[in-house]
Amino acid sequence: MAQRPVTTTPAGRATRSRRHRAPALLLGWGAVAGIVAVVPLAHLVVRALEGGPGLFLTVLGRPRTFDLLVASVLLAASVTAVCVVVGSLAAWLVVRTDLPGRRVLAVLFALPLAVPSYVAGFTWISEWPTSAGFWGAFGVLATVSFPYVYLPVAGALRAADGGLEEVARSLGHGPARVLLGVTLRQAWPAATAGGLLVALYVLSDFGAVSLMRYDTFTLGIYTSYRGTFDRTPAAVLGCVLVVLAALVTLGEARARGRAAHRIARGAARPPAPVRLGRARAPWLAFSAGVVGVSLGIPAWNLTHWMVVGSSLGIDAADLGASGLVTLQVAALGALLTTVLAIPVGVLAARYRGRATAALETSTYVAHALPGITVGLALVFLGIRVLPGIYQETPLLVLAYTVLFLPLAVGSIRAAVAATPARLEEVSRSLGHGRVATLARVTVPLAAPGVAAGAALVFLTAAKELPATLLLRPTGADTLAIRLWTHTGAGQYAAAAPYAILLVVLAAVPVLLLDRAVRR
């Protein structure tokens, strides 16, 4: 019997167009997230143009602006490259191999996220004063930033299809070729998403570069704010930083797009663990080196200061109150941020297009703004527009959402992209609507990535400093505020208990996340 030729009719094209059209609910929901993210940017542009186009161009053409641009790009590119390599290898070791102690390493590799960059910078500069400069800033930021890659890559490797690796082995490919040619390529979208977060974090960091005396855009903006009553030069530098963040985001989207098609389709098969054999010793040494540099140095210095200051006593009541405030505001920030990140992550993974790209980019651009810039913008918003929430918890939670929305978006996007779209099509064919499919199929399948994004936001919000300084409710200090206050006064021994409790609190969601993703 002759086969009917496959043709594409206008009706068929219209059906596919409707099928791949983004749901209005997701677009509206995501638009709210985009509006929240660009509010500080709008304030920044207004402040930058207050002095007129002439002043804007004068500040833009100064040699110092070019020097700050080169220094910022060099630091961000170097730290990102190292974090992508280290974070991806660490995720592969704990998820796909039989490395001894990998359950403990899974927690230890994530814990550097709980170490504020200014605390890590202090421990380095107090031990090696000559480390100030580019290499000191590079070392500090790399050791605290690689978990941004490790966590999403680990989630992607757990959700990826192990059948592709079995096929590669059956074709005679060795372990190294399977790792580089199949396994890491499956995790490439998650690695690029993590690398983007690292690059934006480095561009917006202030604590490490100020302690290491390495002049970047954030330090230049802070110096401009403190050095003159005219806020226009600082706003112009902030605009340049936003443009730089947008270029980084667009570059990441292009790199991710070339590799996203390598994600497996169909039902995923659990992969068999890779037996390291004689390679166990070098990989254990690698793991010990990463943990030692990222956690050992800060832990040794903090313990040293704790012992030195033990004779002065610990204010247990103040320590407990600060810990409770930290838990409350960080948890609320993680909840609101995750709720707003879900539609953006789903749209970016399932409905690519100009509108989706613009929406996703808007959420990432604000992440590159220094915390002090976002804090000042929200102070203006709180005083002029929403006086009822100024110096109240809702405004601080809103600041966390603006600053850390990309952390959840990147993780959710990678998790949704790694799940088979065919299951959603089956759900739709059974009569379930798009909202029901999203709630009953898409989000549950991507639950490890959603949980990873929420944990990232919680950890980062708990240690956030500049915006918290400006927006915290009166009389409510977080652990980061108390730590910064004591460190600024040179009371390193008094600051040590707050830093240690901050690390302990950060370990709790990491342990819960590790248990959830292993079910």
Side-chain angles (χ1 to χ4, degrees), residues 393-418:
T393 299
L395 194 59
L396 180 58
V397 171
L398 182 62
Y400 290 157
T401 301
V402 172
L403 285 168
F404 308 129
L405 191 59
L407 301 181
V409 169
S411 183
I412 293 171
R413 183 196 64 204
V416 173

Side-chain angles (χ1 to χ4, degrees), residues 254-281:
R254 176 163 297 186
R256 178 202 346 136
R258 288 196 295 267
H261 302 291
R262 301 180 187 278
I263 293 297
R265 296 177 180 274
R269 298 177 57 182
V274 177
R275 301 190 180 281
L276 297 175
R278 294 181 178 178
R280 281 185 176 183

Side-chain angles (χ1 to χ4, degrees), residues 219-231 233-234:
L219 193 54
I221 292 171
Y222 178 76
T223 304
S224 180
Y225 265 114
R226 291 289 302 271
T228 176
F229 290 105
D230 184 7
R231 309 302 189 197

